[in-house]
Amino acid sequence: MIPAAFDYHRPDTLDEALKLLKKHGDEAKVLSGGMSLLPMLKLRLASFAHLVDITAFPAWTTSRKRRGLCASER
């Protein structure tokens, strides 16, 4: 099965990601690596209008939680 269409966003900073998430609300999901997203999309077990990819952020130096997003050391 082919996944439903969605808009892909790859912000460079956490603040850009937070703005995208605020703008798109429940229609946005965060991609942070280590996820089995493709199989779920193909089976249509998951769907959303916007994917916000945060894997391009600089390596996190410590585990922390900021504004509701959890980031861990790489």
Side-chain angles (χ1 to χ4, degrees):
M1 198 179 281
I2 297 173
F6 58 87
D7 291 331
Y8 176 81
H9 306 275
R10 190 167 182 163
D12 293 320
T13 66
L14 178 59
D15 287 335
E16 289 176 23
L18 292 171
K19 286 177 187 175
L20 285 166
L21 293 171
K22 183 176 181 180
K23 177 180 177 180
H24 299 296
D26 290 340
E27 294 182 352
K29 298 294 181 205
V30 176
L31 173 66
S32 61
M35 303 168 72
S36 301
L37 187 60
L38 189 55
M40 291 182 68
L41 290 172
K42 285 184 176 180
L43 294 171
R44 300 219 176 183
L45 296 174
S47 64
F48 40 82
H50 301 273
L51 179 66
V52 181
D53 183 351
I54 64 169
T55 60
F57 291 174
W60 300 102
T61 55
T62 59
S63 294
R64 64 184 174 203
K65 187 172 182 180
R66 179 179 172 189
R67 298 184 198 174
L69 289 180
C70 189
S72 60
E73 185 175 71
R74 285 189 182 181

